[in-house]
Amino acid sequence: MKFLGIETSCDETAAAIVATGAKSQGPGKIHANVVHSQIEDHAAFGGVVPEIAARAHVEALDGIISSALNQAGVALKDLDGIAVTSGPGLAGGLIVGTMTARALAAVHDKPLYTINHLEGHALTARLTDGCAFPYLLLLVSGGHTQILLVRGVNNYERWATTIDDALGEAFDKTAKLLGLPYPGGPQVEKAALSGDPKYHRFPRPLSGRETLDMSFSGLKTAVRKAALEAKTLDSQMISHICAGFQAAVTDVLTDRLSRSFDRFEQMFETAPTLIAAGGVAANAQLRTALSSLCQKRDARWIAPPMELCTDNAAMIAWAGLERHRLNIDHKDEGIRPRWPLDQSAAAQPGARPFGAGRKGAKA
Ligand code: KG4
Ligand code: ZN
């Protein structure tokens, strides 16, 4: 079976052609995975501007879909279905993707699957590694910071979320405060290399509490204070602040994951497999810390290749294939800009809707 996947929920316009493999749990086969990043369109604003994103998706999407079909050497009529991200994300982009997918599905008489973007991330480890259920997912991007128990297709439990900023957003805001360009994550990581992580002892928010949830806004305030109080904010001081920030973030994630491992072990009487996804999962220090945590705890650690950790349409096509194979309902309910993967998880009072804090105009 082969699916076309379409992804336009944030600042990547993407299309992919993915096929199932011999085994039902994967791995699958990626015939084409085309991603156009809009980073340059947004860089001047220091964050994603929803109106610019929507316009850029309109301009790029048709060409991206054609490239994916050409690269895979398939025609729309040969496909078994079409999967498109219908949430969560920025409404304008979601409309562009779903309208296009709907039109293609209607014209070529193919089943249409409207997919939760987070489900795409959650199932990627099956596309790449044929990972069996259940497993734990750490999703850390510019819009999301969650620890999820992935029990099966359509069966997710959110164990932790941020109660304020997403982690990628915290990296981007830290960079902005220090005068580093957008997107901030890679810049902070680079600067941190020549800094002393102990020069500033930044807070580890919510540490010692029972919750697995995370909070990064206090950390951001501490970074701002350190920057304001520095006699000279030269490149050495910027490096110290970045190193201190990264150390705090790494400690927080390691602490929450270690306790998530305890919970998993109590439930399943075995150590978990941990999957990392999202742009922040590119951070080398974080990857090293997570892989050594897994080693210590006898857990399996899977970090899918970077191009499948960040936003892409292969994961959306794959989620469509998994649903199609299991005959899971595929009613088109239109776009859902706010759409928790675990419907039973309570909304966090301080958490912003996807994208709200990412716009360049905001601090
Ligand atoms: O998953 P992603 O590419 O896009 C969405 O958020 O939708 O994640 C982008 C986020 C940005 O906030 C960026 O600063 C962060 O991931 N990021 C990093 C690194 N590379 C990207 N954060 C920390 N370290 C990195 N190396
Ligand atoms: Zn994503």
Side-chain angles (χ1 to χ4, degrees):
M1 282 193 300
K2 264 194 204 96
F3 260 53
L4 163 69
I6 296 174
E7 158 63 42
T8 54
S9 67
C10 189
D11 59 344
E12 268 94 20
T13 316
I17 309 291
V18 176
T20 45
K23 290 193 194 154
S24 66
Q25 70 185 41
K29 185 161 172 36
I30 299 175
H31 291 276
N33 185 22
V34 185
V35 181
H36 168 72
S37 165
Q38 302 175 358
I39 279 184
E40 282 179 13
D41 299 338
H42 301 285
F45 304 94
V48 179
V49 183
E51 294 78 5
I52 293 177
R55 197 174 288 261
H57 287 307
V58 172
E59 283 164 10
L61 187 56
D62 287 354
I64 300 276
I65 294 173
S66 300
S67 310
L69 290 165
N70 287 340
Q71 278 181 29
V74 295
L76 281 160
K77 67 174 174 39
D78 305 326
L79 298 170
D80 296 283
I82 297 176
V84 61
T85 303
S86 60
L90 301 172
L94 294 171
I95 289 172
V96 176
T98 51
M99 294 287 276
T100 304
R102 214 174 275 150
L104 292 175
V107 169
H108 297 276
D109 195 23
K110 302 291 174 193
L112 174 69
Y113 287 79
T114 50
I115 301 290
N116 184 313
H117 176 88
L118 303 176
E119 179 167 62
H121 283 301
L123 299 177
T124 298
R126 290 166 63 77
L127 163 63
T128 56
D129 292 77
C131 187
F133 299 122
Y135 52 84
L136 286 178
L137 172 76
L138 171 70
L139 176 60
V140 275
S141 70
H144 304 283
T145 307
Q146 304 191 351
I147 299 171
L148 288 158
L149 170 66
V150 183
R151 282 180 180 275
V153 179
N154 213 20
N155 191 352
Y156 311 98
E157 266 176 39
R158 195 189 73 199
W159 282 6
T161 185
T162 173
I163 61 169
D164 40 57
D165 294 349
L167 184 53
E169 200 181 338
F171 268 95
D172 293 338
K173 286 178 178 173
T174 294
K176 198 170 176 184
L177 270 168
L178 299 173
L180 301 172
Y182 174 86
Q187 303 286 336
V188 170
E189 175 169 21
K190 202 165 125 211
L193 288 175
S194 32
D196 174 3
K198 297 206 177 82
Y199 190 95
H200 292 283
R201 170 76 194 176
F202 290 131
R204 273 64 173 156
L206 302 184
S207 277
R209 307 252 188 107
E210 216 161 274
T211 178
L212 291 175
D213 284 339
M214 289 160 267
S215 161
F216 298 107
S217 78
L219 182 55
K220 182 184 64 192
T221 307
V223 165
R224 175 177 287 131
K225 199 159 161 274
L228 288 174
E229 284 172 2
K231 282 202 188 78
T232 44
L233 194 56
D234 56 10
S235 68
Q236 185 57 65
M237 184 54 77
I238 289 175
S239 288
H240 288 328
I241 294 176
C242 289
F245 168 82
Q246 221 174 238
V249 162
T250 306
D251 278 358
V252 167
L253 289 181
T254 312
D255 170 71
R256 300 308 187 276
L257 282 167
S258 175
R259 288 193 289 120
S260 302
F261 285 13
D262 296 341
R263 189 164 162 186
F264 188 98
E265 283 164 7
Q266 275 163 19
M267 286 171 84
F268 300 104
E269 292 177 355
T270 179
T273 295
L274 174 67
I275 320 288
V280 185
N283 188 282
Q285 185 186 330
L286 181 62
R287 283 171 101 95
T288 308
L290 296 186
S291 115
S292 72
L293 171 71
C294 287
Q295 219 169 11
K296 236 187 318 187
R297 300 288 302 261
D298 267 340
R300 187 174 167 215
W301 153 247
I302 300 181
M306 227 28 249
E307 69 275 16
L308 295 176
C309 274
T310 52
D311 290 351
N312 66 87
M315 67 180 189
I316 303 303
W318 177 258
L321 281 164
E322 292 244 41
R323 287 184 161 257
H324 188 61
R325 201 164 37 194
L326 293 171
N327 240 332
I328 297 178
D329 183 31
H330 59 100
K331 216 163 52 197
D332 176 1
E333 290 179 354
I335 66 158
R336 300 177 68 179
R338 299 185 76 169
W339 185 7
L341 195 51
D342 176 356
Q343 304 279 345
S344 65
Q348 281 297 345
R352 293 191 207 87
F354 179 91
R358 312 185 72 198
K359 207 172 153 189
K362 298 210 174 181

